[in-house]
Amino acid sequence: MNTNTAYVHGYSPQESRRLGDQADTLAGLLHAGTAYAAGSRVLEVGCGVGAQTVHLARSSPGARIVAIDRSAESLAQARAYVTAQEPAAEVEWRTADLHHLPFGNAEFDHVFACFVLEHLPDPGRALAGLRRVLRPGGTLTVIEGDHGSVVLHPDSVHAHEVIRHQVRLQAAAGGNALLGRALQPLLSGAGFDQVVVRPRTAYADATRPALVDGLTRKTFIAMVEAVRDEALRTGLSTAADWDRGIADLRLAAAEGGTFHYTFFKAVAVNPQG
């Protein structure tokens, strides 16, 4: 990620756990259909603490993965985590800025980016850099969420308002929490070919307790709760209004509650010639 861009979720131990919970809960949904041939060279950008790297390595034994992140501390966590989970994985770890990639032209067969573009003020510029290091005919896979896709039961204007506060704070940090809906025009505008976007819908209710815990509570609600202090500091909300919204949001994870969220997974090809 751009070193001048704030990561709105922060780098706390709680955020590391949230990223791991999110990746493990959604691995089947988000990684289905992504597998790279043994020997292929794969660049994962913005790998963070390695939460997605584990699943990449697991789905693509023998692929040569280069995982980059701007945070050396996150990379150290990622190395330890992946080594413990997938000791046979062939991963090279590099501290690097997405806007200044230290690689030659056409160096990679595939590029993978999960929940990265949403944090960038100019994702089109980042995509141009990724095209440069991707060989002609190589593929780019991008996964993003879209907070505007949230559907709750019981519904609550107060719950939706705290979600909007998170969206506003991410925008203030230079990102876009609604990016999922824009992937197709974004990738096409960056010069990629054969862009295919497939929505991946996550739905949790009492019949799916693992998703209620892993998606609704530990991934989404935890993410929104984490920006409370910033929302109050910037005057977006009062403590009373915030707490009411979070209480209503938690009802979606309670008995009789439901939660729906749509992720968008795009695969595109770097054109030949």
Side-chain angles (χ1 to χ4, degrees):
M1 283 179 264
N2 185 338
T3 52
N4 296 321
T5 303
Y7 179 60
V8 69
H9 307 306
Y11 293 93
S12 67
Q14 293 88 344
E15 173 61 8
S16 295
R17 285 194 297 272
R18 187 189 73 82
L19 291 171
D21 289 335
Q22 173 179 257
D24 292 344
T25 299
L26 299 171
L29 182 72
L30 299 184
H31 285 267
T34 299
Y36 302 118
S40 59
R41 192 161 166 83
V42 181
L43 174 65
E44 183 194 6
V45 296
C47 70
V49 296
Q52 303 295 339
T53 318
V54 163
H55 298 287
L56 272 182
R58 197 167 286 161
S59 299
S60 303
R64 294 176 296 158
I65 299 170
V66 178
I68 68 167
D69 198 271
R70 67 179 184 178
S71 168
E73 182 180 350
S74 292
L75 280 174
Q77 293 181 57
R79 183 194 296 269
Y81 180 64
V82 172
T83 299
Q85 296 292 319
E86 292 292 325
E90 188 176 344
V91 182
E92 177 186 342
W93 308 96
R94 298 280 295 272
T95 304
D97 189 313
L98 178 52
H99 286 130
H100 304 283
L101 294 171
F103 306 112
N105 294 344
E107 193 167 325
F108 294 94
D109 301 299
H110 307 283
V111 176
F112 180 87
C114 185
F115 308 140
V116 174
L117 298 183
E118 64 170 303
H119 298 292
L120 304 179
D122 189 355
R125 177 187 167 206
L127 288 169
L130 295 178
R131 273 195 66 200
R132 180 186 68 78
V133 302
L134 181 62
R135 67 166 174 81
T139 69
L140 168 71
T141 298
V142 177
I143 301 171
E144 292 291 348
D146 190 318
H147 293 359
S149 69
V150 173
V151 177
L152 305 166
H153 177 78
D155 203 8
S156 161
V157 295
H158 307 290
H160 285 290
E161 187 60 19
V162 293
I163 295 169
R164 282 192 289 270
H165 291 331
Q166 196 282 332
V167 173
R168 293 179 184 115
L169 288 170
Q170 189 159 330
N176 180 5
L178 308 176
L179 189 70
R181 68 188 71 182
L183 280 183
Q184 189 278 327
L186 183 62
L187 292 171
S188 294
F192 285 91
D193 255 352
Q194 302 175 47
V195 180
V196 177
V197 179
R198 291 186 173 90
R200 303 287 174 101
T201 298
Y203 169 77
D205 64 23
T207 68
R208 302 175 178 187
L211 278 173
V212 171
D213 190 50
L215 171 65
T216 314
R217 290 196 188 97
K218 292 181 177 178
T219 294
F220 192 80
I221 295 176
M223 175 196 64
V224 176
E225 285 181 313
V227 301
R228 180 184 193 273
D229 290 348
E230 188 68 5
L232 300 188
R233 187 190 68 80
T234 56
L236 286 176
S237 179
T238 65
D241 287 344
W242 178 270
D243 293 343
R244 180 174 181 179
I246 289 293
D248 283 1
L249 187 54
R250 288 178 182 150
L251 292 176
E255 185 66 31
T258 70
F259 178 81
H260 165 282
Y261 190 95
T262 301
F263 299 92
F264 295 86
K265 182 174 183 176
V267 180
V269 176
N270 193 18
Q272 301 275 359

